[in-house]
Amino acid sequence: MGELPNLASDAVLKQSVPVPDYFEEVKGVDYSKPESRNARAKDIVASMRTMGFQASSVSKACEIIDEMRAWRGKHKSELEEHDQKGEFDDDGYQKTTIFMGYTSNLISSGLRDTLRYLVQHKKVSAIVASAGGIEEDLIKCLAPTYMGEFALPGKKLRDEGMNRIGNLIVPNDNYCKFEEWIVPVLDKMLEEQEESAAKRGKEAMDADALVWTPSTMIDRFGKEINDETSVLYWAHKNKIPIFCPSLTDGSIGDMLFFHTFKASPKQLRCDIVADIRRINSLSMEASRAGMLILGGGLIKHHIANACLMRNGADWAVYINTGQEFDGSDAGARPDEAVSWGKIKAEAKSVKLFADVTTVLPLIVAATFAAE
Amino acid sequence: MGELPNLASDAVLKQSVPVPDYFEEVKGVDYSKPESRNARAKDIVASMRTMGFQASSVSKACEIIDEMRAWRGKHKSELEEHDQKGEFDDDGYQKTTIFMGYTSNLISSGLRDTLRYLVQHKKVSAIVASAGGIEEDLIKCLAPTYMGEFALPGKKLRDEGMNRIGNLIVPNDNYCKFEEWIVPVLDKMLEEQEESAAKRGKEAMDADALVWTPSTMIDRFGKEINDETSVLYWAHKNKIPIFCPSLTDGSIGDMLFFHTFKASPKQLRCDIVADIRRINSLSMEASRAGMLILGGGLIKHHIANACLMRNGADWAVYINTGQEFDGSDAGARPDEAVSWGKIKAEAKSVKLFADVTTVLPLIVAATFAAE
Amino acid sequence: MGELPNLASDAVLKQSVPVPDYFEEVKGVDYSKPESRNARAKDIVASMRTMGFQASSVSKACEIIDEMRAWRGKHKSELEEHDQKGEFDDDGYQKTTIFMGYTSNLISSGLRDTLRYLVQHKKVSAIVASAGGIEEDLIKCLAPTYMGEFALPGKKLRDEGMNRIGNLIVPNDNYCKFEEWIVPVLDKMLEEQEESAAKRGKEAMDADALVWTPSTMIDRFGKEINDETSVLYWAHKNKIPIFCPSLTDGSIGDMLFFHTFKASPKQLRCDIVADIRRINSLSMEASRAGMLILGGGLIKHHIANACLMRNGADWAVYINTGQEFDGSDAGARPDEAVSWGKIKAEAKSVKLFADVTTVLPLIVAATFAAE
Amino acid sequence: MGELPNLASDAVLKQSVPVPDYFEEVKGVDYSKPESRNARAKDIVASMRTMGFQASSVSKACEIIDEMRAWRGKHKSELEEHDQKGEFDDDGYQKTTIFMGYTSNLISSGLRDTLRYLVQHKKVSAIVASAGGIEEDLIKCLAPTYMGEFALPGKKLRDEGMNRIGNLIVPNDNYCKFEEWIVPVLDKMLEEQEESAAKRGKEAMDADALVWTPSTMIDRFGKEINDETSVLYWAHKNKIPIFCPSLTDGSIGDMLFFHTFKASPKQLRCDIVADIRRINSLSMEASRAGMLILGGGLIKHHIANACLMRNGADWAVYINTGQEFDGSDAGARPDEAVSWGKIKAEAKSVKLFADVTTVLPLIVAATFAAE
């Protein structure tokens, strides 16, 4: 049968260069340690660091979150007055401005409690959400969302007035309750708009006039809902702005649409220019900027784009299921944002490929809610 | 070694019920036919119908597109005046209002020429795009986008001022050219806003006052760019509205942000309420509504939500790479929209799981551009 | 501007049927509870149950694992002798036969320690692995695998003799060491094959003759490696068969290929028929069967197919990233296996869409390693 | 409101280096050309080259396929006798050995006709398939597979004896027919095995003895089925080996399992060692090697691993939906194979992210079946 050709053995048994000292061995959980039984979040995350694949990304996400939270700069007293911008801790030291983005479905899911916790305890500085991420928070104060299944048939659900979001169900009555709640609020807001316009005359649209924007509307909703289970309530309370440039893309949009008939010929206006000014200003004023992106699409791009105004974020954590192969921004890796100046070249960043709900409970337990 | 247990043979060799007559055999291309050599789009698509998996979805997408294009209702003369709404063909018969949504990356890609073709020849009735889907169309009139690679390192690209979008490259100079082009346009638009405000006084924000919206801004950009390679140009020319509720989420947002400093204390405003009224009205007036969704996120939800206003679209084609398991709207199947009343229960719909660029050239060649 | 058409308000404000009593509210972590700080695995998993999306799947996976582990049938003494088959607990009660499948990459990752733990402590009954899932376990006894990055360039790595597996690195020297280790073992195995053939003559290939199979080879490797960090070692020790029908598809295949030259005209043989008999028999003898599938492809199908022999598994947990849209078995949901009789119609099953490394540490900590 | 900070304008309006001459503009279909109407495959593919994202990958896949098909080396007469190995064209010139891998589902789909065409016309040199890719080809000669839907409920299907593969349906009777067909074939094969063993005595397992392997079994099945619609038939006819190391992982495995009871104490054996020798030898003898991988998992790794024996393939086309983030071989990019020496560093390669069924009809029409 002949000799083994060198071709094959040389290829298979090629020698490697010596392994550099800094190489780190892959290893996992040591179950002989008692703390590995029903382990705590920090121990689980620690053991994932050297596991490889996305386990390592979970661990790296926690490391980056801890770093952005721990960073401290100068004391306020050391700074010129015009430099006293951005976020400061309770002792007066500069800290990171953390921009958190989340998609609508996360508010529909049980992660709303986690997101609310982060806002209630001022763990983040500013938020970008998609429209459902605003209204579903409010609606959950009026009536619950329920567990369902991905495979429930749409026709039957529509007949019953049950709306499906993945494996969740929102009864359509919830939106009827929402309409009842929001119409008087919109009436009031229109009244205030009109008062301002009457007072300002031809300067009604000037920069310092009262023109509602998504973020000011959302703040008002948070005030009006006055419910401690709400993300918006705590954002209002803690002066954490929530941006949502496409605020009309959902049930609030339906309500604003209805309201145009009710209000005619008056009309509520919602200006998105003032909000781009506001979020970009936050980015420029930040001593350091961190991005925590939960999901893809608009909320991801909007935060990254704001961070371009400061020539890049200093830390970035992306968690989503998007893939880069279709050239979507949703799936782009942090390194694409580096090319645009949206993340600094020297920034620590990670993209964790996961449905946010599978990993955020662990991550938050090991970081923001570890102590 | 014993007998074969009946347990196994019964399970493996279970009899099936007779195959119903309407069952259709899986089969593929018959290469013995001369038309299979270097085949034409329609022949390829026809052979994919019984191939299964997503080949069948490609074929079904074409079938649905052809159906929504072919539908005709009553002649205008048969309708009461207040029912003379929606789209009509050149002979005066009702036809389908086709809502097309596309994400920013498709305009960055070579599909821009395809999208422009559809708009130039009035194949669609209204468009929803993400912000990049607006500005990249304009910027391409000023300077080209180039082929690149997914793996090009971000730091080097940033040093060179080269921005990466998947495997494409946009030199940052293109954005400088864009700024030069757009600033005078924004100046003019602000002037017009101010004129209106001065004239209207306290009614400056009334429904019929001049308050810019994303769709009216985009129409103006299309007029100003005056370039036959542009989607926006033809949309303006053909009165096809382009909606983009998050118009500030990109380079136009950067320019509007800069403009707030230049214009101060005046400020351009961009109202999203009037646009939700406008798109929802289009939906309600449509005799039939078809959705052609290219990508996910905002553009998908926005069209579906508009179609809720008419109790559901009559046809729906989704093409994207999103998956439903994470509960994102981007990945939701048409049947989820059925539960919400955004697609009619009896509507024909398909979700084609594919990067749009791999399938749209074939699909358009076999449908919109078949004759 | 006219009236709000009923069309829209009826569609948007459609009443829903009353919410049934059994509906369960979506809710998340209650951070006011002290156990939510740096939470334990079981508490995290418990809170994920009503979160929705894949968080609920994580929780359901744990629930199913706990159920399959907890199930007990009759005592051995109550059974006829010919029914005394399948698995029994230490007290003599029937318990579930748990089939665990894992792909090669999980052994390359730090999850090897977890998989080893499950085998060492007899938490599973039988294993199906892909070829790399065998050899990488052995090789890790000889030299480590290292952390790397997904983006490391292939050419440079090949020049250095560094092989990449996702974000891991295996120096090629490890395979040289493996060759040194395995050749004498193969020599010995060939010798034994030849002795048997000589003794059996024309019955050399009979059912009860010594003809090596993947599972008997793997058992021998486990014995020879004699290393407590090894999955194979403990599988040998605990008589847990490891199946790998494509054992030649990797480094062991390379070594067997080389060995054909060394051994000629003799040749080691590795028969896959005896192994299909063996795994199917395990399935038929099982009192109850549970599937724990980590990854996709061969290992998933092979266990499911074995469970067809008993007309379906009683529990099934799939964890992988495969999608069903391309018709691959890897991405098929449990319900597809139900149609084949591979999972019982009434079985509890779940498909958890996740990279195994992101969720298995939490799942094992909350189930197999909870006490 | 202050001045626009330079920070922002410098970041946004950063100058780029001059665009190098070799940069290629992104562009798409020119619909003003008559050949764009109902376009031909080659024209569509040509226009996709500069479209970006996966459109460009479709085009590159075609380019690579054309290159591997077009390559010619020396004439047989110029070669020493021991170098007269690998593939030659009809005129006696060396040509590329093309390894094609496909997963089971593609044979279930209508692509079977395409795969059969490639084999019938000797467009490929060797094949690796998963087990279903063998048996489903045979079974389709006995009875058809039908179109179905992804969402058909498993329980109902099982009750009716209808097996689902994605959106396809295979009546279980087809497997009963398969059993009737294959049992006599297996009987005959066992007889031949036993004759050989009887003749060879203690040398029954030597390298040159008759010991069945997956590839020799498959060749025999192809001969016995004797049906021009069959891939296996043409592979037998054209001496194109089909490898399938896990041949027992499916219905053939079920049949071999049943057969062990029937044959006892005799037993058919199927050796995978001889096949690894055979495929690796094909790789080493190839003048040039091209890989065409349709799907992931075993079939992908097996071809790549064979190509290591020649220090790398010269061309590689991957088409599948796997992602690299979970470290699976299925999702690994070609560059990972470069690190292992399975693809040459200088080889042209592409990974096309797509369900094979969406793109292969176009690709084959534009390449193998273009003339």
Side-chain angles (χ1 to χ4, degrees):
Chain A
M1 279 175 97
E3 288 290 294
L4 170 62
N6 289 341
L7 176 61
S9 57
D10 288 356
V12 172
L13 302 176
K14 183 177 178 9
Q15 298 271 308
S16 38
V17 299
V19 170
D21 283 346
Y22 62 83
F23 264 38
E24 189 160 29
E25 281 190 31
V26 171
K27 55 179 185 288
V29 180
D30 181 352
Y31 287 98
S32 63
K33 292 193 184 166
E35 64 263 34
S36 300
R37 329 299 301 184
N38 190 15
R40 288 200 175 273
K42 284 175 82 82
D43 291 322
I44 295 173
V45 167
S47 76
M48 292 169 90
R49 197 175 61 84
T50 52
M51 270 190 198
F53 310 147
Q54 297 305 308
S56 298
S57 301
V58 169
S59 181
K60 191 167 181 192
C62 291
E63 189 185 310
I64 294 175
I65 289 169
D66 281 342
E67 257 189 41
M68 64 171 93
R69 291 179 67 216
W71 182 84
R72 288 295 179 277
K74 293 191 176 160
H75 193 271
K76 214 165 187 168
S77 61
E78 299 173 75
L79 298 165
E80 305 282 329
E81 197 170 334
H82 62 85
D83 286 332
Q84 292 180 3
K85 291 178 298 191
E87 299 272 305
F88 293 89
D89 69 12
D90 292 343
D91 297 329
Y93 290 92
Q94 292 175 312
K95 63 174 194 172
T96 304
T97 296
I98 300 183
F99 291 90
M100 179 169 74
Y102 58 77
T103 49
S104 170
N105 55 332
L106 301 189
I107 286 291
S108 300
S109 85
L111 284 184
R112 176 185 179 237
D113 294 313
T114 301
L115 300 172
R116 192 254 308 136
Y117 165 82
L118 296 177
V119 173
Q120 179 178 358
H121 298 279
K122 305 185 192 176
K123 309 280 190 185
V124 296
S125 320
I127 286 174
V128 178
S130 41
I134 304 307
E135 62 217 19
E136 298 293 329
D137 177 66
L138 297 167
I139 292 167
K140 278 188 163 181
C141 299
L142 307 173
T145 295
Y146 296 95
M147 296 298 300
E149 285 170 45
F150 285 100
L152 296 174
K155 184 189 172 347
K156 181 160 180 291
L157 290 173
R158 180 59 178 167
D159 287 346
E160 299 173 353
M162 295 290 177
N163 305 301
R164 184 170 68 79
I165 299 172
N167 56 357
L168 308 180
I169 293 292
V170 191
N172 207 57
D173 281 353
N174 296 18
Y175 297 92
C176 305
K177 287 175 187 155
F178 184 51
E179 198 229 1
E180 285 165 37
W181 178 83
I182 206 170
V183 168
V185 180
L186 298 180
D187 286 346
K188 191 78 200 324
M189 288 164 71
L190 174 59
E191 212 175 292
E192 294 172 22
Q193 172 190 293
E194 292 305 302
E195 275 167 25
S196 165
K199 195 155 53 184
R200 306 279 309 215
K202 66 174 188 165
E203 284 158 14
M205 288 195 263
D206 273 13
D208 58 350
L210 188 160
V211 179
W212 292 101
T213 71
S215 72
T216 57
M217 280 191 162
I218 292 166
D219 181 71
R220 178 62 166 268
F221 297 149
K223 182 183 168 195
E224 299 282 350
I225 198 70
N226 195 24
D227 182 321
E228 297 201 348
T229 69
S230 158
V231 173
L232 266 61
Y233 168 80
W234 287 108
H236 164 74
K237 206 81 174 165
N238 291 333
K239 301 191 181 3
I240 296 171
I242 303 185
F243 298 97
C244 179
S246 59
L247 183 65
T248 50
D249 180 42
S251 182
I252 292 174
D254 301 349
M255 302 310 158
L256 285 166
F257 168 59
F258 290 175
H259 199 259
T260 61
F261 293 90
K262 183 167 187 253
S264 175
K266 298 294 170 205
Q267 188 161 307
L268 248 179
R269 300 289 185 172
C270 183
D271 167 46
I272 55 178
V273 176
D275 265 10
I276 196 70
R277 166 91 186 219
R278 190 177 180 195
I279 189 172
N280 285 353
S281 300
L282 280 178
S283 160
M284 289 191 304
E285 290 169 0
S287 310
R288 289 289 183 284
M291 311 190 345
L292 177 54
I293 307 291
L294 309 173
L298 174 66
I299 60 110
K300 174 173 182 277
H301 186 268
H302 207 60
I303 289 177
N305 201 77
C307 286
L308 169 58
M309 299 305 135
R310 61 191 323 282
N311 209 13
D314 301 282
W315 296 276
V317 173
Y318 293 1
I319 310 179
N320 66 45
T321 61
Q323 298 297 335
E324 70 171 347
F325 71 82
D326 65 2
S328 63
D329 185 72
R333 288 176 293 122
D335 198 53
E336 182 168 316
V338 171
S339 81
W340 289 84
K342 295 168 181 173
I343 296 177
K344 289 195 163 49
E346 63 277 12
K348 257 194 199 167
S349 68
V350 71
K351 157 100 182 248
L352 166 52
F353 293 80
D355 168 15
V356 180
T357 68
T358 58
V359 292
L360 200 68
L362 180 65
I363 288 173
V364 169
T367 56
F368 292 109
E371 307 88 32
Chain B
M1 277 175 99
E3 286 290 293
L4 171 62
N6 289 340
L7 175 61
S9 56
D10 289 357
V12 172
L13 302 175
K14 185 179 183 355
Q15 298 271 307
S16 37
V17 299
V19 170
D21 284 346
Y22 62 83
F23 264 38
E24 188 160 30
E25 281 189 33
V26 171
K27 54 178 185 290
V29 181
D30 181 351
Y31 287 99
S32 63
K33 293 193 182 165
E35 64 263 35
S36 299
R37 330 298 301 181
N38 189 16
R40 288 204 175 272
K42 283 175 84 84
D43 293 320
I44 296 174
V45 167
S47 75
M48 292 168 91
R49 198 176 60 84
T50 52
M51 270 189 199
F53 310 147
Q54 296 306 306
S56 298
S57 302
V58 169
S59 180
K60 191 167 182 191
C62 291
E63 189 186 310
I64 294 174
I65 289 169
D66 281 343
E67 258 190 40
M68 64 170 95
R69 292 180 66 215
W71 182 84
R72 288 296 178 277
K74 294 191 175 158
H75 193 270
K76 214 164 187 169
S77 60
E78 300 174 74
L79 297 165
E80 305 282 329
E81 196 171 337
H82 61 85
D83 285 334
Q84 292 180 2
K85 289 176 301 189
E87 300 271 306
F88 293 90
D89 67 13
D90 292 344
D91 298 328
Y93 289 92
Q94 291 176 313
K95 62 174 196 173
T96 303
T97 296
I98 300 182
F99 291 90
M100 178 169 74
Y102 59 77
T103 48
S104 169
N105 54 333
L106 301 188
I107 286 291
S108 301
S109 84
L111 285 182
R112 176 184 179 238
D113 294 313
T114 302
L115 300 173
R116 193 252 310 134
Y117 165 83
L118 296 177
V119 174
Q120 179 178 357
H121 297 280
K122 305 186 193 177
K123 309 281 190 183
V124 296
S125 319
I127 286 175
V128 178
S130 41
I134 304 307
E135 63 217 18
E136 298 294 330
D137 177 66
L138 297 166
I139 292 168
K140 277 188 163 181
C141 300
L142 307 174
T145 296
Y146 296 94
M147 296 297 300
E149 285 170 44
F150 285 100
L152 296 175
K155 185 190 171 346
K156 182 159 178 291
L157 289 173
R158 180 60 179 166
D159 287 346
E160 299 173 352
M162 294 291 177
N163 305 302
R164 184 169 68 79
I165 298 171
N167 57 358
L168 309 179
I169 293 292
V170 190
N172 208 57
D173 280 354
N174 296 18
Y175 297 92
C176 304
K177 288 172 188 157
F178 184 52
E179 198 230 1
E180 285 167 35
W181 178 83
I182 206 169
V183 168
V185 179
L186 298 180
D187 285 345
K188 192 84 199 321
M189 288 164 72
L190 175 58
E191 212 174 292
E192 295 172 24
Q193 172 190 293
E194 292 305 303
E195 277 168 22
S196 165
K199 194 156 52 187
R200 307 277 309 212
K202 66 177 186 163
E203 284 157 15
M205 287 193 262
D206 272 14
D208 57 351
L210 187 160
V211 179
W212 292 102
T213 71
S215 73
T216 56
M217 280 190 162
I218 292 166
D219 181 71
R220 178 63 166 267
F221 296 149
K223 182 182 168 198
E224 299 281 350
I225 198 70
N226 194 24
D227 182 320
E228 297 200 349
T229 69
S230 159
V231 173
L232 266 61
Y233 168 81
W234 287 108
H236 165 73
K237 206 81 172 164
N238 291 332
K239 300 194 183 2
I240 296 171
I242 303 184
F243 298 97
C244 178
S246 59
L247 183 64
T248 50
D249 180 41
S251 182
I252 292 174
D254 300 348
M255 302 310 158
L256 286 165
F257 169 58
F258 290 174
H259 199 258
T260 60
F261 291 92
K262 183 165 187 255
S264 175
K266 299 292 170 207
Q267 188 161 308
L268 249 179
R269 300 291 185 170
C270 182
D271 166 46
I272 54 177
V273 175
D275 264 10
I276 197 70
R277 167 89 185 221
R278 189 177 180 195
I279 189 171
N280 285 352
S281 300
L282 280 177
S283 160
M284 289 192 304
E285 291 170 0
S287 310
R288 289 289 183 284
M291 311 189 344
L292 177 54
I293 307 291
L294 310 173
L298 174 66
I299 61 109
K300 172 173 184 277
H301 187 268
H302 207 60
I303 289 177
N305 200 77
C307 286
L308 169 57
M309 298 305 134
R310 59 191 324 283
N311 209 14
D314 301 281
W315 295 275
V317 173
Y318 293 179
I319 311 178
N320 65 44
T321 61
Q323 298 296 336
E324 71 171 347
F325 71 82
D326 65 1
S328 62
D329 184 73
R333 289 176 292 123
D335 197 54
E336 183 168 316
V338 171
S339 81
W340 289 84
K342 295 169 182 173
I343 296 177
K344 288 193 163 48
E346 64 278 11
K348 257 195 199 166
S349 67
V350 71
K351 157 99 183 250
L352 167 51
F353 294 79
D355 168 15
V356 180
T357 68
T358 58
V359 292
L360 200 67
L362 180 65
I363 289 173
V364 170
T367 56
F368 293 108
E371 309 87 32
Chain C
M1 277 174 100
E3 286 290 293
L4 170 62
N6 289 340
L7 175 62
S9 57
D10 288 356
V12 172
L13 301 176
K14 184 178 179 4
Q15 297 272 305
S16 38
V17 299
V19 171
D21 283 347
Y22 61 83
F23 264 39
E24 188 159 32
E25 281 190 32
V26 171
K27 55 179 185 290
V29 181
D30 181 352
Y31 287 100
S32 63
K33 291 193 183 166
E35 64 263 34
S36 299
R37 328 300 300 184
N38 190 15
R40 288 203 174 272
K42 284 175 84 81
D43 292 321
I44 296 174
V45 167
S47 75
M48 291 169 91
R49 197 176 61 83
T50 52
M51 269 189 200
F53 311 137
Q54 297 305 307
S56 298
S57 302
V58 169
S59 180
K60 192 168 181 192
C62 291
E63 190 186 309
I64 294 175
I65 289 169
D66 281 342
E67 258 191 40
M68 65 170 93
R69 292 179 66 215
W71 182 85
R72 288 296 179 277
K74 293 192 177 158
H75 193 271
K76 213 165 189 169
S77 61
E78 298 174 76
L79 297 165
E80 303 282 330
E81 197 171 334
H82 61 85
D83 286 335
Q84 292 181 1
K85 289 177 302 193
E87 300 271 307
F88 293 90
D89 69 11
D90 292 343
D91 299 329
Y93 289 92
Q94 291 175 313
K95 62 173 194 173
T96 304
T97 296
I98 300 182
F99 292 90
M100 178 170 73
Y102 58 78
T103 48
S104 170
N105 55 332
L106 301 189
I107 286 292
S108 300
S109 85
L111 284 182
R112 176 184 179 237
D113 294 313
T114 301
L115 300 172
R116 193 253 309 136
Y117 165 82
L118 296 177
V119 173
Q120 179 179 357
H121 297 280
K122 305 186 193 179
K123 309 280 189 184
V124 296
S125 318
I127 286 174
V128 178
S130 42
I134 305 307
E135 63 217 18
E136 299 292 330
D137 177 66
L138 297 167
I139 291 167
K140 277 188 163 181
C141 299
L142 307 174
T145 295
Y146 296 95
M147 297 298 300
E149 284 170 46
F150 285 100
L152 295 174
K155 184 188 172 348
K156 183 160 178 291
L157 289 173
R158 180 59 178 167
D159 288 344
E160 299 173 352
M162 294 291 176
N163 305 301
R164 185 170 68 79
I165 299 172
N167 56 358
L168 309 179
I169 293 292
V170 191
N172 207 57
D173 280 354
N174 295 18
Y175 296 92
C176 305
K177 286 173 189 157
F178 184 51
E179 197 229 4
E180 283 167 36
W181 178 83
I182 206 170
V183 168
V185 179
L186 298 179
D187 286 345
K188 191 80 201 321
M189 288 165 71
L190 174 58
E191 213 176 289
E192 294 171 25
Q193 171 189 294
E194 291 304 303
E195 274 168 26
S196 165
K199 193 154 55 185
R200 305 278 309 214
K202 66 175 186 165
E203 285 158 14
M205 287 195 262
D206 273 14
D208 58 350
L210 187 160
V211 179
W212 292 102
T213 71
S215 72
T216 57
M217 280 191 162
I218 291 166
D219 181 70
R220 179 63 165 267
F221 297 149
K223 183 183 167 197
E224 298 282 350
I225 197 72
N226 195 26
D227 182 320
E228 297 200 348
T229 69
S230 159
V231 173
L232 266 61
Y233 168 81
W234 286 108
H236 165 74
K237 205 82 173 163
N238 290 334
K239 301 193 181 358
I240 296 170
I242 303 185
F243 299 96
C244 179
S246 58
L247 183 63
T248 50
D249 181 41
S251 182
I252 291 174
D254 300 348
M255 302 309 158
L256 285 165
F257 169 59
F258 290 174
H259 199 259
T260 60
F261 292 91
K262 183 165 187 255
S264 175
K266 298 294 171 206
Q267 189 161 306
L268 248 178
R269 299 291 186 170
C270 182
D271 167 47
I272 55 176
V273 175
D275 264 11
I276 196 70
R277 166 89 185 220
R278 190 177 181 196
I279 190 173
N280 285 353
S281 300
L282 280 178
S283 160
M284 288 192 303
E285 291 170 0
S287 311
R288 289 288 184 285
M291 311 189 345
L292 178 53
I293 307 291
L294 311 173
L298 175 66
I299 60 108
K300 173 173 183 276
H301 187 268
H302 207 60
I303 289 178
N305 201 76
C307 287
L308 169 57
M309 299 304 134
R310 62 191 322 283
N311 208 14
D314 302 282
W315 295 276
V317 173
Y318 294 180
I319 310 178
N320 65 43
T321 61
Q323 298 297 335
E324 71 171 347
F325 70 82
D326 65 3
S328 63
D329 185 73
R333 287 175 294 122
D335 197 54
E336 182 169 316
V338 171
S339 80
W340 290 84
K342 295 169 182 173
I343 297 177
K344 289 192 162 51
E346 64 277 12
K348 256 194 200 167
S349 67
V350 72
K351 156 99 181 251
L352 167 51
F353 294 80
D355 168 14
V356 180
T357 67
T358 57
V359 292
L360 200 67
L362 180 65
I363 289 174
V364 169
T367 56
F368 293 109
E371 307 89 32
Chain D
M1 276 176 99
E3 287 290 294
L4 169 64
N6 289 341
L7 176 60
S9 56
D10 290 355
V12 171
L13 302 175
K14 185 178 181 357
Q15 298 271 308
S16 39
V17 298
V19 170
D21 283 346
Y22 63 83
F23 264 38
E24 189 160 29
E25 281 190 32
V26 171
K27 55 179 183 290
V29 181
D30 181 352
Y31 287 98
S32 63
K33 294 194 182 165
E35 64 263 34
S36 299
R37 328 299 301 182
N38 190 14
R40 289 200 174 274
K42 284 174 83 83
D43 291 322
I44 296 173
V45 166
S47 77
M48 292 169 90
R49 199 176 60 83
T50 51
M51 268 189 201
F53 310 148
Q54 297 306 306
S56 298
S57 302
V58 169
S59 180
K60 192 169 179 189
C62 292
E63 188 187 310
I64 294 175
I65 289 170
D66 281 342
E67 257 189 42
M68 65 170 95
R69 293 179 66 217
W71 182 85
R72 288 296 177 277
K74 294 190 175 160
H75 194 271
K76 213 165 189 168
S77 60
E78 299 173 75
L79 297 165
E80 303 283 328
E81 196 172 335
H82 62 83
D83 285 335
Q84 293 180 359
K85 290 177 299 192
E87 300 271 305
F88 293 90
D89 69 13
D90 292 343
D91 298 328
Y93 289 92
Q94 291 175 313
K95 62 173 194 173
T96 303
T97 296
I98 300 182
F99 292 89
M100 178 169 73
Y102 58 78
T103 49
S104 170
N105 55 333
L106 300 189
I107 286 292
S108 300
S109 85
L111 284 184
R112 176 184 178 238
D113 295 313
T114 302
L115 300 173
R116 193 252 309 134
Y117 165 82
L118 296 177
V119 173
Q120 179 179 355
H121 297 281
K122 305 187 194 178
K123 309 279 191 186
V124 296
S125 318
I127 285 174
V128 178
S130 43
I134 305 307
E135 63 216 18
E136 298 293 330
D137 177 65
L138 296 166
I139 292 167
K140 278 189 162 180
C141 299
L142 308 174
T145 296
Y146 296 95
M147 295 298 299
E149 285 170 44
F150 284 100
L152 296 174
K155 185 189 171 349
K156 182 160 179 292
L157 290 173
R158 180 60 178 167
D159 288 345
E160 300 173 352
M162 295 290 178
N163 305 301
R164 184 170 67 79
I165 298 172
N167 56 357
L168 309 179
I169 293 292
V170 191
N172 207 57
D173 280 354
N174 295 18
Y175 297 92
C176 304
K177 288 174 188 157
F178 184 51
E179 198 230 2
E180 285 166 37
W181 178 83
I182 206 169
V183 168
V185 180
L186 297 180
D187 285 345
K188 191 81 202 320
M189 288 165 71
L190 175 58
E191 213 175 290
E192 294 172 23
Q193 172 189 294
E194 290 305 304
E195 276 168 25
S196 165
K199 193 156 54 185
R200 305 279 310 214
K202 66 175 187 165
E203 285 158 13
M205 287 195 262
D206 272 14
D208 57 351
L210 187 160
V211 179
W212 292 101
T213 71
S215 72
T216 57
M217 281 191 161
I218 291 165
D219 181 70
R220 179 63 166 266
F221 297 149
K223 183 183 166 196
E224 299 282 350
I225 198 72
N226 194 24
D227 182 320
E228 297 200 349
T229 70
S230 159
V231 173
L232 266 61
Y233 168 79
W234 286 108
H236 165 73
K237 206 80 173 163
N238 290 334
K239 299 193 184 0
I240 296 171
I242 303 185
F243 298 96
C244 179
S246 58
L247 183 64
T248 50
D249 180 41
S251 183
I252 292 174
D254 301 348
M255 302 310 160
L256 286 166
F257 169 59
F258 289 175
H259 199 261
T260 61
F261 291 92
K262 184 168 186 254
S264 178
K266 299 292 170 208
Q267 188 161 308
L268 249 178
R269 300 291 185 170
C270 183
D271 167 46
I272 55 177
V273 176
D275 264 11
I276 197 70
R277 167 87 185 221
R278 190 176 180 196
I279 189 173
N280 286 353
S281 299
L282 280 179
S283 159
M284 289 191 303
E285 290 169 1
S287 310
R288 288 289 184 283
M291 312 189 344
L292 177 54
I293 307 292
L294 310 173
L298 175 66
I299 59 110
K300 174 173 183 276
H301 187 268
H302 208 59
I303 289 178
N305 201 76
C307 287
L308 170 58
M309 298 304 135
R310 62 191 321 284
N311 209 14
D314 301 283
W315 295 276
V317 173
Y318 293 179
I319 310 179
N320 66 42
T321 61
Q323 297 296 336
E324 70 171 347
F325 70 82
D326 65 2
S328 62
D329 185 71
R333 289 175 293 123
D335 197 53
E336 182 169 316
V338 170
S339 81
W340 289 85
K342 294 168 182 174
I343 296 177
K344 288 194 164 48
E346 63 277 12
K348 256 193 199 168
S349 67
V350 72
K351 157 100 183 249
L352 166 52
F353 293 80
D355 168 15
V356 180
T357 68
T358 57
V359 292
L360 201 67
L362 179 66
I363 288 174
V364 169
T367 56
F368 292 110
E371 307 87 35

